[in-house]
Amino acid sequence: MDFDNIECVSSSDGLDEDEIHHHNLQHHHLHQFASPKPHNVNNNSNGIANVVGGPTVIAPATSVHELLECPVCTNSMYPPIHQCHNGHTLCSTCKTRVQNRCPTCRQELGDIRCLALEKVAESLELPCKYYNLGCPEIFPYYSKLKHEAICNFRPYNCPYAGSECSVVGDIPFLVAHLRDDHKVDMHIGCTFNHRYVKSNPREVENATWMLTVFHCFGQYFCLHFEAFQLGMAPVYMAFLRFMGDEAEARNYSYSLEVGGNGRKLIWEGTPRSVRDSHRKVRDSHDGLIIQRNMALFFSGGDRKELKLRVTGRIWKEQQSPETGVCIPNLCS
């Protein structure tokens, strides 16, 4: 199944005054993917309060953390932290977006740094922003950002290709999102046999086929098949991504096979984690790549229509306790 037209959603980097005012009226909080129900009130040892119902309880550490929250993007601020003549602060990234006007009082910002707040930040130790998703780590303020970029508890981006989907969440949340919102094909089992057809194979510029999701070994895998320009050459490419982290993806292997007219191509590899974007995997050429002339040869007939059958399987690598050698564990 293919998309003849792909609608891409783009967003502007700039903010107008109405948008800035809207940002000042509300704070964005990380979506609770595991459950829509709120947690009970609990104060932990880090001074962080989980509150539901009744008056809001704010621990001292939380108050300081809110002081370091940019009022425009709601992200934590890092040096240089800027302020206006009235003492309102914002991060350096947003300073360029608000056209040098304070988003709170609309006064000109100038080039004033809030050195006192930068010093306060140096003395802080704060929990990872993903603590509510399970991360137990606490870091000095200026080390926290580096950890959060690679935190194993950070949410995953939607693996759907062709729409620049901005949805993030844990794996169960994204599986439901792919099924319900993107209407992807869902399959149970570790073998597959798919036929890809396109009436005009000359149109290869970013042609993307519907994503297929497989559930096996208690995990989820995404099979991609698409066409794009590799330099000056039009090619088709198939590859598999694992819905989980890279370390766990290494426990699995997969093979892809395409052929016709007594010829075939076979690819074997390790699925890439969905932590790596779809484009990153594609541009690294980590998958089965078929040149257009070869694809049309496999399709048979007069070579005016693409008819490719891609088969494959997924298996789990298991280490033999006697020899230490990895042996494949094939699903039935």
Side-chain angles (χ1 to χ4, degrees), residues 187-318:
H187 294 270
I188 298 176
C190 61
T191 60
F192 43 90
N193 186 341
H194 284 262
R195 190 164 179 258
Y196 299 97
V197 178
K198 189 170 180 62
S199 58
N200 186 359
R202 300 292 171 182
E203 296 177 357
V204 299
E205 185 64 28
N206 296 326
T208 304
W209 276 259
M210 180 80 74
L211 175 72
T212 306
V213 175
F214 294 90
H215 184 216
C216 57
F217 302 110
Q219 306 290 343
Y220 291 92
F221 301 83
C222 299
L223 176 64
H224 297 266
F225 186 86
E226 63 183 74
F228 63 99
Q229 293 286 147
L230 182 57
M232 298 297 293
V235 298
Y236 299 95
M237 182 176 178
F239 58 91
L240 196 73
R241 287 200 292 167
F242 173 75
M243 295 189 70
D245 285 324
E246 181 181 356
E248 199 170 0
R250 296 194 194 102
N251 295 325
Y252 301 91
S253 296
Y254 74 101
S255 66
L256 296 172
E257 181 177 315
V258 61
N261 291 330
R263 312 287 192 275
K264 65 181 177 181
L265 293 175
I266 300 175
W267 164 269
E268 286 192 4
T270 301
R272 296 282 288 271
S273 166
V274 290
R275 293 288 191 202
D276 290 334
S277 70
H278 161 267
R279 182 174 294 276
K280 180 178 180 180
V281 179
R282 191 194 73 178
D283 291 348
S284 68
H285 311 152
D286 191 1
L288 175 64
I289 296 179
I290 314 157
Q291 293 184 352
R292 184 174 64 190
N293 288 340
M294 180 66 73
L296 293 176
F297 175 76
F298 288 153
S299 300
D302 56 6
R303 301 192 180 190
K304 292 183 178 180
E305 184 178 39
L306 179 72
K307 295 179 180 179
L308 279 181
R309 185 173 297 279
V310 177
T311 61
R313 62 187 177 92
I314 305 166
W315 65 90
K316 186 174 183 179
E317 299 287 358
Q318 289 188 332

Side-chain angles (χ1 to χ4, degrees), residues 22-249:
H22 176 71
H23 276 277
N24 290 333
L25 292 178
Q26 63 179 356
H27 292 286
H28 292 290
H29 296 281
L30 185 64
H31 178 67
Q32 302 290 331
F33 301 110
S35 170
K37 297 180 181 180
H39 297 288
N40 293 327
V41 179
N42 286 306
N43 286 317
N44 60 27
S45 59
N46 302 321
I48 303 299
N50 294 326
V51 182
V52 58
T56 301
V57 179
I58 301 178
T62 305
S63 300
V64 175
H65 186 261
E66 287 178 351
L67 287 175
L68 290 163
E69 184 180 85
C70 175
V72 177
C73 65
T74 72
N75 292 326
S76 297
M77 295 186 290
Y78 292 84
I81 299 175
H82 297 277
Q83 69 174 22
C84 72
H85 291 281
N86 292 324
H88 303 126
T89 58
L90 78 164
C91 70
S92 57
T93 300
C94 289
K95 182 175 183 289
T96 61
R97 300 172 64 191
V98 298
Q99 300 173 344
N100 207 37
R101 289 283 177 181
C102 174
T104 303
C105 66
R106 300 295 192 271
Q107 297 298 311
E108 187 174 347
L109 283 170
D111 292 312
I112 307 173
R113 283 178 62 175
C114 187
L115 299 178
L117 195 54
E118 291 179 9
K119 286 290 186 182
V120 169
E122 287 180 1
S123 65
L124 289 181
E125 287 192 346
L126 295 173
C128 171
K129 67 187 282 188
Y130 304 121
Y131 75 92
N132 58 336
L133 298 179
C135 182
E137 302 293 340
I138 298 176
F139 295 91
Y141 185 79
Y142 291 142
S143 302
K144 193 168 80 83
L145 196 64
K146 184 180 293 185
H147 159 79
E148 289 169 353
I150 59 173
C151 178
N152 290 334
F153 292 91
R154 71 192 189 277
Y156 296 86
N157 295 318
C158 174
Y160 193 80
S163 66
E164 301 297 330
C165 182
S166 61
V167 170
V168 298
D170 60 13
I171 298 304
F173 176 86
L174 289 180
V175 169
H177 165 68
L178 288 170
R179 181 191 64 235
D180 300 336
D181 298 329
H182 292 300
K183 311 298 182 185
V184 305
D185 292 330
M186 311 289 291
H187 294 270
I188 298 176
C190 61
T191 60
F192 43 90
N193 186 341
H194 284 262
R195 190 164 179 258
Y196 299 97
V197 178
K198 189 170 180 62
S199 58
N200 186 359
R202 300 292 171 182
E203 296 177 357
V204 299
E205 185 64 28
N206 296 326
T208 304
W209 276 259
M210 180 80 74
L211 175 72
T212 306
V213 175
F214 294 90
H215 184 216
C216 57
F217 302 110
Q219 306 290 343
Y220 291 92
F221 301 83
C222 299
L223 176 64
H224 297 266
F225 186 86
E226 63 183 74
F228 63 99
Q229 293 286 147
L230 182 57
M232 298 297 293
V235 298
Y236 299 95
M237 182 176 178
F239 58 91
L240 196 73
R241 287 200 292 167
F242 173 75
M243 295 189 70
D245 285 324
E246 181 181 356
E248 199 170 0

